[in-house]
Amino acid sequence: GRRRRRFSFDQLVALSSPTWSPDGAAVALAGARRSGRTDLFLVDAGTGELSALTDDLYHDRDPHWHPARDVLVFSSDRSPGHGRKGKYNLFTIDVGEAAERSVRQLTFGDHHDMQPAWSPEGARVAFTSDRDGFYDLYALPVAGDSVGTTQRLTRALTGVFDAAWLPG
C-alpha cells in the first residue's frame, strides 16, 4: 500500500503493457511519444532511467518478457505489405545489455496478431488473432531461431483477449 518509487517520463504521454524482466531489474513497456508514435522502452527499476528499444514510424505494442532470456515478444505493424494496411504481426527483440536490438518477425499475414505472452518455460507464445474472422487464442512454438506451426486454441464468437498461461 506504499509508494516505493515514482518515475516520470516527460517525453511520453501514455504508457501501456508493462512487463517485468525475469530478474525484476527492469520493466519493458509501450510508450506513446508526443509525436504520436508508439515505441518500446526499458525502465531501469532502480534508477528510473528510460531507454528506447525502438524508435521508428511503426506502432509497437504489447511487449512481454521471456521468462528466462532478455528477449521481448511484441505486436507491430512493421511487416512489409501488411503493416501498411494496418495489420499487426508478432516480432521479437533482443534486449540484453550487449544486444544489437535486432527485430525478428515471428508471424506473417493479413490479420491482427496481438497481446502475446510467453509460456512459463519460454517455448511457446500465446496470442490473440483475428486470422479466422473472430479474435481467438493461438499458440506458436518458438525455440531459438526455429518457429513452429501456429495452433488455434479457442473458437469463440465473442472474442478472446489477453492470454495468461497457468503454471504447469
Side-chain angles (χ1 to χ4, degrees), residues 58-143:
Y58 303 113
H59 185 232
D60 301 329
R61 64 187 203 187
D62 305 328
H64 193 262
W65 213 299
H66 189 280
R69 298 184 2 236
D70 285 334
V71 174
L72 296 172
V73 63
F74 66 99
S75 179
S76 179
D77 64 352
R78 65 179 53 238
S79 63
H82 303 297
R84 290 184 179 202
K85 298 178 193 175
K87 305 299 182 172
Y88 289 80
N89 284 268
L90 300 184
F91 299 82
T92 59
I93 185 169
D94 188 348
V95 296
E97 288 191 29
E100 295 179 20
R101 306 283 190 247
S102 58
V103 174
R104 176 178 157 219
Q105 190 166 356
L106 297 181
T107 63
F108 300 82
D110 191 17
H111 43 259
H112 296 95
D113 292 345
M114 55 192 188
Q115 301 170 335
W118 288 104
S119 62
E121 76 285 352
R124 296 191 300 162
V125 173
F127 61 96
T128 297
S129 181
D130 67 348
R131 56 183 62 202
D132 287 329
F134 293 96
Y135 283 104
D136 276 302
L137 293 183
Y138 292 79
L140 178 66
V142 180

Side-chain angles (χ1 to χ4, degrees), residues 40-63:
L40 301 181
F41 295 87
L42 277 183
V43 178
D44 183 295
T47 66
E49 180 183 344
L50 180 74
S51 58
L53 294 173
T54 60
D55 185 3
D56 48 42
L57 295 176
Y58 303 113
H59 185 232
D60 301 329
R61 64 187 203 187
D62 305 328

